[in-house]
Each structure stands twice: as structure tokens, then as C-alpha cells.
Amino acid sequence: MKLAGVILAGGLARRMGGGDKTLLTVHGRPLLAHVIERLAPQVACLALNANGDPGRFAHFGLPVIADTFTGYAGPLAGVLTGLRWAETQGCTHIISAAGDTPFFPHDLAARLVTAAQERTLPLACAATTEAERGLSEHPTFGLWPVALADDLEQSLAGGLRKVILWTSRHGCARALFDDAGPYPFFNVNTPDDLAEAGRIGTRLGIAP
């Protein structure tokens, strides 16, 4: 198993008023810088899935891969794009991570792989449990095999958009991160979330 990392940043950021959420700063650094710092050591190679002018991300030094599926089709389009790119890099799987989630675990990839292998399933996603809501899946943090790229493309062409509907067809293990602290998959959707991310970073001792 050879892992490629793909940062998903192809969304429309409507609740933030548009633009690139990944370029907003937390503790003096763009969200994308925090995500790269966490994901890069866990994978053999790393790319950013984003649409539009790739030049705005040039100083991060990553390949920028635009959605291969035309029309905004949500995170599955980003996953498909990542799978096609990973295949060109000789990788067998991708580890996906959302570009607006700066505090995800440093052992994300290892635990996703372990969960899939223990259940003998091709896919895995991160999950947490909460007293009020029970089990919460975080499907943008997942393990995806390149071998399923054609199937995913056909499903998107057929109109499928919901991640869980596609993953349930093939079998998806859950990697529980209940021991990863209180904020592992906190993501920034609104200006209030951005302010809260700053407070969380302070509590976690993250320095600029």
C-alpha cells in the first residue's frame, strides 16, 4: 500500500461568503499551512484539490489538481480527482483531508489503514462519538483505493453525490478517534468558526 495525500479544497465556501477558506489565517498561518504540516509526513506525496487559478497556491509548493468531473459535485468529485492523480504517482490509495480542518490527528493515515485492514474492507473514514449526537462520521477524512476510481466516476455520472451512499456500496470501516482530544475534526465554515479555531489553537498550544 502506497499512500498519496489529497487536501480537499474545491468547495464553494458559501457560509464564509465565498473565496478560499484555506487561505484564511489561524495563529498567523493559513489554514492550508496547518493542514499540510499535519498530512505531509503521513503520506508519500501530497496534492491540493482546488479549482480556479492554481497560481494563488503557488507558494505552498504543492501540485494543484482541479476537479476532473465537470460541474460542482461535492467532495466525491475531489476524491475522484485525487484518485486519478494518485494513480499517476504510482500510489494505491489516497488519504483525504479537508482543507478547513486544522487540528486533525497526526496519525490519521495509520489509523485509517488499520481500521480497513482489521475489517477487511476497501474504504475507511474517521469517526467520533459524542454523548449528545452519538456516532459522527467524518467522510472527508478517509482512505480510498485507486482501484475504485472507475466505479466512482460512473456513480458521479449517474448523479450520485452523497459520500455515504457510495461508500456503503463497497464497505467502509470506521476509525474511531475518541482519544484524539476534543477538537480533532473541528472545521471552519463561518467567521465565528474561524474565531473559535483561534481559541482552540491557543488551548492546544499551537504557536504561529
Side-chain angles (χ1 to χ4, degrees), residues 101-173:
T101 307
F103 310 120
F104 65 87
H106 293 280
D107 59 351
L108 173 73
R111 292 172 70 166
L112 288 171
V113 169
T114 297
Q117 291 177 338
E118 287 180 346
R119 294 287 308 281
T120 321
L121 293 172
L123 301 158
C125 73
T128 52
T129 52
E130 302 172 18
E132 297 155 355
R133 294 195 300 172
L135 182 72
S136 293
E137 293 187 342
H138 308 281
T140 52
F141 291 86
L143 170 74
W144 315 79
V146 168
L148 289 179
D150 288 344
D151 183 275
L152 178 54
E153 185 166 16
Q154 292 166 10
S155 297
L156 285 168
L160 186 144
R161 296 295 181 266
K162 291 190 176 180
V163 176
I164 192 170
L165 292 181
W166 186 76
T167 58
S168 64
R169 292 180 183 177
H170 300 282
C172 184

